[in-house]
Amino acid sequence: MLWTSECLICSRYFGHFTNDKSQQKKGEEEGGQKTVAPDMLIKHPLQNTWTLWFFKIESNRSWEDCQVEIASFNTVEDFWALYNHIEPASRLKVGCDYSMFKQGIKPMWEDEHNCRGGRWLINLNKQQRSTELDNFWMEVLLLMIGESFEEHSDEVCGAVVNVRGKGDKIGVWTADAKKNDSILKIGEKCKSQLKVYNHISLHYQAHSAAQQKTGSSIRCLFTL
Ligand code: MGP
């Protein structure tokens, strides 16, 4: 099922999607008893099941072992239940990450769904933690669970938010760093939905380049 970001945001506050007042009233009045219209009882399914991960480095554990699976969900309502329950990214400790990936994909380069892919990277400056980070992260999540990249949505594996002292980062991970058309469509959709105009650039990097990183910079395949 495809959901627009606007529709998903409405559902956060109202919990259901019916605008049809007569339908609601009918449900209430039927049989002289107060009943609820069927549309208000069902949970609204997402196209995919998604898993939220949390990362906090601990000195005696490997990077991989510090990735902890928090919960999975496959309905709009369960997404908001989880999202509203956890700390916003801006309140995480420096060094922590949230990742949200399709179920069955681990938030790491080594996963077979990620290893040939790359990420669209949004670098924020220190001030933008309080002004942009939470909103950008939420918009990225809504784009993903709403399958808003249309025929390119299958290329999306997940997204990561890194809370870092030098500046926070949001990465949207895609499956194949050679699928230029999908990569560009996904990047353009992120840029327009997040209303990232000229003050922030998006860079696409292959994971293979990130893994081989020696200096401070990683080669970008695309910039928007
Ligand atoms: P990071 O957490 O993605 O970014 O990678 P950070 O902390 O801003 O550091 P920078 O190097 O981008 O400036 C930090 C380190 O975590 C990497 O250098 C790797 O050692 C490790 N790491 C990150 N990722 C995404 C992976 C991964 O997918 N697999 C493994 N094995 N290690 C990773």
Side-chain angles (χ1 to χ4, degrees), residues 55 63-64 67 95 97 107-110 119 160 162 164 166-167 169 173 210-211 213 216 218:
F55 172 88
W63 184 92
E64 279 189 37
Q67 288 283 1
D97 305 337
M108 45 191 78
W109 305 319
E110 294 85 349
R119 64 174 176 176
V160 182
N162 306 116
R164 298 290 182 271
K166 63 193 173 190
K169 298 181 279 188
W173 289 34
Q211 279 171 274
K213 175 181 163 185
S216 59
I218 302 172

Side-chain angles (χ1 to χ4, degrees), residues 135-153:
N135 191 40
F136 279 4
W137 177 238
M138 185 184 74
E139 290 290 351
V140 164
L141 298 183
L142 298 183
L143 284 173
M144 292 200 306
I145 67 168
E147 309 289 328
S148 301
F149 305 104
E150 296 164 7
E151 73 267 32
H152 307 287
S153 290

Side-chain angles (χ1 to χ4, degrees), residues 52-199:
L52 180 75
W53 298 74
F54 176 69
F55 172 88
K56 185 179 176 208
I57 196 75
E58 285 175 33
S59 52
N60 52 348
R61 297 172 79 192
S62 69
W63 184 92
E64 279 189 37
D65 288 344
C66 293
Q67 288 283 1
V68 180
E69 206 174 314
I70 304 292
S72 296
F73 59 89
N74 60 9
T75 66
V76 174
E77 288 77 1
D78 289 346
F79 165 72
W80 285 121
L82 179 60
Y83 182 89
N84 290 332
H85 183 72
I86 58 175
E87 289 286 350
S90 62
R91 305 239 336 240
L92 293 182
K93 288 214 169 80
V94 165
C96 292
D97 305 337
Y98 280 137
S99 302
M100 207 180 79
F101 276 69
K102 286 175 181 161
Q103 191 176 47
I105 308 182
K106 290 185 177 168
M108 45 191 78
W109 305 319
E110 294 85 349
D111 189 286
E112 60 164 333
H113 300 87
N114 296 322
C115 59
R116 285 169 295 280
R119 64 174 176 176
W120 274 111
L121 186 62
I122 308 169
N123 282 301
L124 301 180
N125 64 34
K126 290 179 186 177
Q127 291 71 37
Q128 288 166 329
R129 182 174 302 161
S130 56
T131 56
E132 321 263 22
L133 182 69
D134 291 333
N135 191 40
F136 279 4
W137 177 238
M138 185 184 74
E139 290 290 351
V140 164
L141 298 183
L142 298 183
L143 284 173
M144 292 200 306
I145 67 168
E147 309 289 328
S148 301
F149 305 104
E150 296 164 7
E151 73 267 32
H152 307 287
S153 290
D154 285 350
E155 278 298 303
V156 174
C157 297
V160 182
V161 55
N162 306 116
V163 179
R164 298 290 182 271
K166 63 193 173 190
D168 305 326
K169 298 181 279 188
I170 294 175
V172 177
W173 289 34
T174 72
D176 190 338
K178 292 205 169 90
K179 289 204 175 160
N180 295 353
D181 189 38
S182 294
I183 290 170
L184 285 169
K185 291 280 165 30
I186 291 165
E188 281 158 7
K189 183 74 188 179
C190 287
K191 188 154 180 162
S192 66
Q193 185 68 32
L194 273 57
K195 302 188 177 58
V196 175
Y197 298 116
N198 294 333
H199 66 301

